[in-house]
Amino acid sequence: MALTLQDQITSTHRGHGHCIAKGADLTRMIAELLGKEIGYCGGRGGSMHIADVETGNLGANGVVGGGIPIAAGAALASKMMKKGTVAVSFFGDGAMNEGAFHEAANLAAIWKLPMILFCENNKYGMSSSTEKAFAINNLADRGKGYGIPGVNVNGNDVVEVYEAAQIAVDRAKKGEGPTLIIAETYRWKGHSRSDKNLYRTKEEIEEWRLLDPIPKFIARTIKQKKLTQEQCDGIQQEATDAIVAAVNEAVKAKAADPAGLLDAVFKKVSA
Amino acid sequence: MLTMAEAVREAMSIAFDERPEVFLLGEDVGIYGGAFGVSGDMYHRYGSERVLDTPIAELGIVGAAVGAALSGMRPIVEIQFSDFTAQAMDQIANQAAKIHFMLGGALHVPMVLRTPQGSGTGAAAQHSQNLEPWFASVPGLKVVVPSNPADAKGLLLAAIDDPNPVIFLEHKLLYKIPGRDPVPEGSERIPLGVAKVVREGKDLTIVATGIMVNKSYEVCEKLAAEGISVTLIDPRTISPLDMQPVYESVEKTGRLMVVQEGPAHAGFINEVIAQMAGSSSFGSLIAPIKRLAGMNIPIPYAPQLEKAAVPQIEDIEAAAREIVKNWR
Amino acid sequence: MPKMSMTMETGELLLFHVKVGDQVKSGDVLFEVMTDKIDMEVEAPADGVIETLVGNPGDVIEIGKPVLIMLTETEVMAFDFGGDAAAQVETAAPTPPPVAPAPVVVAPVAPTPPPVAPVVVAPVVQAVAPVVQAVAPVVTPAPIVAAPVVTPPKIVNTSVKAVPKARVEAANRGIDLRTVHPTGPDRTITFSDVNSAQVDPAVLKRQAANKALIAKGIEMTRGIAQASFNRRAHANFDHAQLISAWAKVLRGRPDIAVHQHVGVSLIIESKYGSALPVFRDPDLISVEELRTLVSSTSDAAKNGKVPIAMLSGGTTTIFDLTTYSMSSATPLLFPNQVTSLTIGYDSESTKNISLTIDLNICDFYDGALLLDALIASL
């Protein structure tokens, strides 16, 4: 992994993957989705606001682009406090047109913040395709506008992403500033459950399904004899089992209680 | 005697000295010394590591402050005119205000956002607003409105101490003048959420915010000389709001008048009226509650128009006399 | 010209019993009137001197218009001479029992020494056919302290605006806000409107009048030698029985009376203060009829409505202290009353009856006899 536990991330409304990858407690994550007291946010945040301080997760965000300036701030703090950590902002192609992206990228560039601007370009911001939302074809070109490197990677290739990330992390830790990484990928399902996918074709979706990164990675690893099929199956089973166990445990947990709501707004001022 | 700007600078300096994680960022706060001269020589005293000049990017600046606050720093972010907090509203209202609650207390945002507000400088509609209700209506923000330099110092120190996001609204017209009371030496905090009874009386209770506290004070002096004694209450923190002294006073005077600069409609001061109207002290009222507030218009440019748009001393005086005379 | 029945609009003056310059005492017959229903004697409401005879025998005079003018010392009249009071007065009972008076225009006031202020008089009249009698000295009972029992306060506002504290105060004191005169902006009732004015200005005047009367009453009764006796009695009697029995006892002793009739006042607490309706000659009707009358009068009194005519003519007063768990008290005798009774609590089955007497008229021995006779007859 290019990041350590202390490195920080901010994520999007579709942040479960980042959360788990950064080392989240599965039970607490599922419990949060189910509105349980033991959930990460005590049932008050839900799917879009899961954060885990211990694993450097500063939170998924329900506002497009909301997490980008925050990641810049985390990077600023890291620099000021000489922590030596980096901050990664995960965002989608849609966020690149938000003012927040622009302002944060510029700040990170001028102050040489230890930050990675990681765009998961799945070609659609809800229903607006990148063809329609951008006047440029190569999103990575925007890096030039800020005076920072703009890097394209195949978002569905695990190794390519890892390598690009590592380069960006090293650059950041050396004090050379941020990198913009555009990782091309695809969103199989609709933006949300109410999405009828009227803006794209079935064929397009089918095409991309064939480019699923996990089977690709497994095939390559086996081919390179780094892991056996059994081992890979084992890893996948482990993952499935872990999720199932987490769900089972979370379901049994106590529902969040409205009684504590007013007190939950502010952190108590210590005497 | 210190002016408001000097008092604020002194508070920030004390906080800088007390805690290395406190820093200031904003447009023109560094070399320039702040658009209203508040940060002054802090850049020279503390250096560019702690006094950060930023490009014009309110959303980015406030967002960076949020991120820094989440990560162990205590930023003070200065937005040059409160009107421009609009650019940063996502980070203020959707992020800073809600993080502690949404994230189940896992994170908190110890950040102070200082910004000048108010009219009277001829800067017209987009540079003169009083936006107290914008912030006061967002759960998760604390909102402080100091009316004088002495309070400003103690309140700002408390705001910086506070582990939650605090919006600190300074009135432009107060920057360059000293207050009635000298600014105390030392680093004593004035707790947030505690109102101040500026003077006690038995005929009328006035609750006023910000610059209207001072205008009301002059009216109180004049009326006192004629035997009409007025209680003047300055909430100081408008969110959370301390109503206790208001109830106690109205039970003695039976008459309540509220005064604010911002436009009347849906303004902050209506909160005082709403709470009074629903309280057990309501039955002590011998007069209807009087509200003086700005006209429901954007602030106009010409001086006489600008004056007409918000309550002046004469308006406060006339209203006070009328209530006391007609309602016995 | 008094209004002596609901339908009466005019009366024919038959003859005068007095002439200009005559000194009259309260209760003396002044003139006679013929109405569609009956011939009536009209009595003097107060001591005074006849100043002018306005009408002539044979004149048909409208109700409320002057018949004669007499001078009396009383400066304050407790009740309106105008038609308003008459219009709002209720009769005591649905079917006029013998002692129920018709609504009248005025019950004038105080017993008094020589007249000072000129006053136009339309006196109180008994419309009772069988008992044509001199009206005893009309006495306005001293204890009516608060708002007047007689006239319901005039409704001044129908849609009421009042400041919160005024509402609280009005609720606490049982004041109907519709009767309060608003002086605040937009016809809003202020706190001081409720606090000071209470009801309408006429009522304030009456209150002042009452206060003056009480002061006068005290003055007049100062120096009356009083004595009190107590006896225990069983508790099996109600107000009607007591009133009837007491009236009979007094009727049997005309030598200890200064009046020719027996009028028993009963103190009743109303929301305006104490009311003292007078039951005239209650021994002359059956106890059942009296009971009905006492009951309806009590109810009316509690709500501040007692017919004017029932406020005068008391010759003795009964105070029932049992509602206050008192066993006895020594009240001031009212001017021109020789006796008063207090009924006090003694035990569950017994009551304490105290008799207070005016020693100028009734000596100890007579007092004891009266009390004995009463208790024997209960």
Side-chain angles (χ1 to χ4, degrees):
Chain A
M1 292 280 261
L3 298 180
T4 66
L5 217 55
Q6 288 74 36
D7 292 319
Q8 294 163 298
I9 64 166
T10 62
S11 170
T12 64
H13 54 285
R14 213 183 298 288
H16 300 160
H18 306 124
C19 203
I20 297 173
K22 204 64 175 57
D25 176 326
L26 289 176
T27 304
R28 288 189 67 193
M29 197 182 91
I30 308 276
E32 181 59 29
L33 303 190
L34 295 175
K36 304 289 187 180
E37 220 170 81
I38 59 160
Y40 265 110
C41 314
R44 296 178 212 126
S47 167
M48 291 192 291
H49 302 116
I50 297 182
D52 184 3
V53 194
E54 250 120 82
T55 60
N57 182 351
L58 295 179
N61 210 300
V63 178
V64 174
I68 311 178
I70 293 178
L76 174 65
S78 168
K79 187 171 176 188
M80 289 176 131
M81 294 165 85
K82 302 187 177 17
K83 289 196 226 178
T85 56
V86 304
V88 181
S89 177
F90 291 98
F91 51 89
D93 45 285
M96 283 185 68
N97 292 322
E98 276 280 355
F101 167 80
H102 164 72
E103 297 192 22
N106 185 58
L107 282 178
I110 60 174
W111 290 339
K112 293 203 177 336
L113 299 181
M115 183 182 182
I116 299 171
L117 295 143
F118 194 94
C119 175
E120 295 166 333
N121 179 10
N122 62 16
K123 303 184 154 321
Y124 288 92
M126 198 150 146
S127 71
S128 42
S129 69
T130 47
E131 276 100 45
K132 296 207 177 113
F134 290 79
I136 55 177
N137 290 323
N138 183 17
L139 270 51
D141 281 345
R142 284 202 173 173
K144 287 204 194 82
Y146 304 106
I148 63 179
V151 176
N152 279 308
V153 296
N154 179 352
N156 282 2
D157 188 318
V158 176
V159 176
E160 236 187 271
V161 170
Y162 168 73
E163 284 169 353
Q166 191 62 67
I167 292 170
V169 167
D170 292 339
R171 183 180 132 80
K173 288 188 177 177
K174 279 191 274 187
E176 289 168 12
T179 308
L180 173 64
I181 300 178
I182 311 289
E184 203 193 14
T185 179
Y186 196 74
R187 191 188 76 218
W188 291 0
K189 301 221 167 139
H191 169 76
S192 60
R193 281 201 300 244
S194 49
D195 189 338
K196 295 189 180 68
N197 285 316
L198 297 173
Y199 45 90
R200 51 185 178 166
T201 64
K202 274 214 176 82
E203 288 77 30
E204 187 184 278
I205 301 176
E206 279 313 308
E207 243 179 68
W208 274 90
R209 277 188 190 255
L210 297 173
L211 300 171
D212 186 340
I214 297 180
K216 255 180 71 174
F217 178 74
I218 291 176
R220 174 156 63 178
T221 314
I222 292 175
K223 190 157 165 220
Q224 291 174 347
K225 302 215 193 308
K226 298 203 172 144
L227 288 173
T228 67
Q229 181 71 57
E230 289 79 31
Q231 278 170 318
C232 291
D233 290 343
I235 291 170
Q236 288 205 287
Q237 189 59 51
E238 248 181 68
T240 307
D241 291 343
I243 298 279
V244 169
V247 170
N248 287 337
E249 212 186 310
V251 162
K252 287 186 287 189
K254 180 165 167 268
D257 186 352
L261 284 178
L262 275 183
D263 286 337
V265 177
F266 289 119
K267 184 171 169 75
K268 292 274 171 289
V269 178
S270 44
Chain B
M1 293 222 294
L2 293 188
T3 64
M4 174 88 95
E6 290 164 342
V8 171
R9 187 184 322 140
E10 196 168 274
M12 289 198 287
S13 305
I14 291 170
F16 268 46
D17 293 337
E18 285 177 354
R19 295 196 220 238
E21 64 269 24
V22 179
F23 70 102
L24 173 66
L25 72 164
E27 296 160 21
D28 309 303
V29 298
I31 296 172
Y32 191 89
F36 291 92
V38 178
S39 45
D41 63 349
M42 287 180 74
Y43 179 80
H44 299 288
R45 289 190 279 124
Y46 296 100
S48 60
E49 301 278 284
R50 297 187 75 188
V51 182
L52 276 57
D53 272 325
T54 67
I56 305 175
E58 286 80 12
L59 181 59
I61 297 166
V62 177
V66 173
L70 290 177
S71 308
M73 301 295 287
R74 273 186 193 256
I76 303 171
V77 53
E78 179 178 308
I79 298 295
Q80 207 164 89
F81 284 83
S82 69
D83 315 64
F84 306 146
T85 54
Q87 329 294 96
M89 255 327 162
D90 177 68
Q91 289 296 330
I92 296 170
N94 290 332
Q95 311 297 336
K98 295 175 168 61
I99 281 174
H100 182 259
F101 180 89
M102 277 193 314
L103 272 33
L107 291 166
H108 61 282
V109 185
M111 169 185 114
V112 176
L113 190 157
R114 289 182 33 248
T115 182
Q117 67 167 1
S119 67
T121 58
Q126 296 170 330
H127 290 75
S128 307
Q129 291 175 84
N130 179 304
L131 297 171
E132 290 161 2
W134 283 19
F135 307 109
S137 67
V138 178
L141 295 178
K142 298 194 182 179
V143 187
V144 178
V145 186
S147 67
N148 62 82
D151 282 354
K153 179 177 174 182
L155 289 168
L156 184 54
L157 285 170
I160 296 169
D161 284 348
D162 202 302
N164 299 288
V166 180
I167 311 295
F168 199 84
L169 300 170
E170 301 157 3
H171 200 289
K172 305 181 191 76
L173 291 179
L174 297 177
Y175 274 144
K176 295 206 170 4
I177 55 175
R180 280 185 306 277
D181 304 317
V183 177
E185 305 268 349
S187 62
E188 192 175 327
R189 277 58 172 161
I190 295 178
L192 302 191
V194 178
K196 179 171 180 186
V197 180
V198 178
R199 51 194 298 155
E200 287 253 28
K202 53 165 189 51
D203 297 315
L204 170 64
T205 305
I206 296 182
V207 179
T209 54
I211 199 168
M212 292 300 160
V213 175
N214 306 314
K215 295 195 195 212
S216 301
Y217 189 92
E218 296 198 32
V219 172
C220 293
E221 291 272 88
K222 189 162 179 208
L223 293 177
E226 297 169 28
I228 301 174
S229 75
V230 181
T231 299
L232 176 57
I233 296 175
D234 175 3
R236 298 195 293 198
T237 304
I238 64 175
S239 188
L241 176 63
D242 176 14
M243 279 294 287
Q244 194 51 39
V246 182
Y247 295 139
E248 283 169 11
S249 177
V250 168
E251 283 176 19
K252 291 189 206 132
T253 66
R255 303 184 185 94
L256 176 63
M257 181 160 92
V258 299
V259 191
Q260 71 168 20
E261 184 188 56
H265 187 78
F268 159 71
I269 211 74
N270 302 343
E271 180 64 23
V272 175
I273 300 178
Q275 293 201 29
M276 175 59 66
S279 74
S280 58
S281 307
F282 178 72
S284 302
L285 287 167
I286 63 173
I289 300 173
K290 177 72 182 173
R291 174 182 69 179
L292 287 184
M295 290 175 69
N296 293 320
I297 59 173
I299 298 295
Y301 162 70
Q304 75 281 15
L305 300 182
E306 188 180 38
K307 265 194 86 169
V310 302
Q312 302 296 332
I313 291 177
E314 310 80 71
D315 303 314
I316 302 173
E317 185 185 335
R321 284 187 193 284
E322 194 253 352
I323 305 176
V324 171
K325 173 164 156 273
N326 288 341
W327 299 97
R328 308 209 141 270
Chain C
M1 178 63 63
K3 181 168 176 151
M4 290 176 282
S5 77
M6 291 306 289
T7 54
M8 176 182 170
E9 278 164 6
T10 60
E12 185 182 325
L13 177 59
L14 292 176
L15 66 129
F16 283 110
H17 285 232
V18 295
K19 54 189 194 307
V20 174
D22 281 357
Q23 295 260 8
V24 295
K25 291 195 85 50
S26 169
D28 290 354
V29 178
L30 299 174
F31 54 89
E32 285 180 38
V33 166
M34 182 173 75
T35 74
D36 49 336
K37 297 219 167 78
I38 201 165
D39 286 4
M40 303 292 300
E41 288 178 346
V42 177
E43 293 146 355
D47 294 358
V49 140
I50 307 298
E51 208 210 40
T52 317
L53 301 181
V54 177
N56 290 308
D59 286 353
V60 172
I61 302 173
E62 266 179 52
I63 56 168
K65 292 278 187 285
V67 175
L68 68 72
I69 297 176
M70 66 181 275
L71 294 178
T72 170
E73 198 192 16
T74 311
E75 339 183 298
V76 229
M77 307 304 285
F79 308 107
D80 283 333
F81 281 93
D84 298 352
Q88 289 164 32
V89 162
E90 285 186 6
T91 48
T95 55
V99 290
V104 292
V105 177
V106 164
V109 180
T112 132
V116 164
V119 137
V120 177
V121 174
V124 175
V125 168
Q126 279 303 84
V128 176
V131 185
V132 177
Q133 59 200 343
V135 171
V138 175
V139 173
T140 302
I144 298 183
V145 182
V149 174
V150 180
T151 314
K154 241 166 43 174
I155 304 278
V156 177
N157 291 318
T158 43
S159 102
V160 183
K161 290 193 287 191
V163 297
K165 197 162 184 179
R167 291 188 182 275
V168 171
E169 184 75 0
N172 286 341
R173 293 174 44 200
I175 294 172
D176 184 342
L177 279 175
R178 291 174 304 165
T179 67
V180 178
H181 181 66
T183 65
D186 296 322
R187 287 186 58 78
T188 305
I189 297 171
T190 67
F191 177 59
S192 65
D193 290 339
V194 168
N195 210 23
S196 62
Q198 281 113 40
V199 199
D200 66 61
V203 164
L204 271 182
K205 267 173 64 179
R206 288 184 200 122
Q207 284 189 338
N210 281 330
K211 280 210 164 108
L213 284 174
I214 294 168
K216 224 176 191 130
I218 291 174
E219 231 187 84
M220 291 182 60
T221 54
R222 215 195 296 267
I224 291 183
Q226 300 190 167
S228 291
F229 305 79
N230 283 317
R231 275 257 335 241
R232 186 180 286 126
H234 69 83
N236 295 349
F237 56 87
D238 66 3
H239 283 165
Q241 286 165 315
L242 176 65
I243 291 170
S244 184
W246 184 232
K248 283 195 177 74
V249 167
L250 290 178
R251 185 148 340 250
R253 293 296 306 267
D255 57 311
I256 315 179
V258 297
H259 305 103
Q260 286 174 355
H261 72 285
V262 176
V264 182
S265 292
L266 180 66
I267 295 241
I268 294 176
E269 286 308 306
S270 84
K271 56 186 186 181
Y272 299 107
S274 308
L276 277 167
V278 175
F279 299 93
R280 276 181 178 274
D281 300 318
D283 54 321
L284 297 184
I285 59 172
S286 74
V287 175
E288 288 72 38
E289 280 177 274
L290 180 59
R291 185 170 290 128
T292 309
L293 180 60
V294 169
S295 169
S296 63
T297 305
S298 297
D299 289 341
K302 284 180 184 130
N303 289 313
K305 295 176 160 66
V306 175
I308 296 179
M310 279 188 87
L311 288 179
S312 60
T315 68
T316 183
T317 305
I318 298 182
F319 300 80
D320 187 343
L321 305 171
T322 55
T323 45
Y324 304 101
S325 308
M326 298 287 160
S327 55
S328 73
T330 308
L332 275 185
L333 287 172
F334 288 123
N336 291 313
Q337 290 192 10
V338 178
T339 56
S340 78
L341 288 180
T342 68
I343 313 302
Y345 176 82
D346 184 60
S347 78
E348 261 201 44
S349 56
T350 54
K351 292 198 186 199
N352 205 348
I353 302 186
S354 298
L355 168 65
T356 302
I357 57 174
D358 178 347
L359 284 172
N360 290 317
I361 301 184
C362 173
D363 66 26
F364 279 107
Y365 180 62
D366 290 326
L369 286 179
L370 284 177
L371 193 52
D372 269 352
L374 171 65
I375 289 177
S377 72
L378 277 176

